Amino acid sequence: MVYLKMLAGIAFVISVLWVVSKPGYDSGLAAVVSLSALVGLFVAGNKKQRTHRQRQFVSKSSVGVQAGGDINIGTISRDRHAE
């Protein structure tokens, strides 16, 4: 991530120098795009990981299942011979 930030910073400096030396649509667009990439990398780097919190309330005659990922739940019966 550090290398990407450095590369985006270098691209922004080069594009600003291009705008100063040859003002125009292309150079201005390059400066805006490189600045947005640089800001985006800093914003993405500062995002904190959310902790997923699970809460479940189950009545007495029910079955509750919690998992951290994808799960498959089959039918639950009290009589194993009925399946």
Side-chain angles (χ1 to χ4, degrees):
M1 188 71 125
V2 175
Y3 295 116
L4 288 176
K5 289 178 183 177
M6 287 177 21
L7 186 62
I10 291 169
F12 177 65
V13 169
I14 290 172
S15 63
V16 167
L17 291 174
W18 186 22
V19 168
V20 171
S21 68
K22 275 189 170 181
Y25 178 75
D26 295 339
S27 58
L29 185 62
V32 169
V33 169
S34 61
L35 177 63
S36 65
L38 184 61
V39 170
L41 284 171
F42 276 101
V43 168
N46 290 336
K47 268 190 178 177
K48 292 181 181 178
Q49 292 289 336
R50 285 187 181 182
T51 57
H52 295 289
R53 200 169 127 188
Q54 294 181 343
R55 298 179 89 172
Q56 186 176 33
F57 299 99
V58 181
S59 66
K60 291 181 184 178
S61 62
S62 299
V63 175
V65 178
Q66 287 186 342
D70 294 336
I71 61 168
N72 291 323
I73 300 174
T75 58
I76 299 174
S77 66
R78 294 182 189 253
D79 185 16
R80 290 183 182 232
H81 299 292
E83 291 181 358

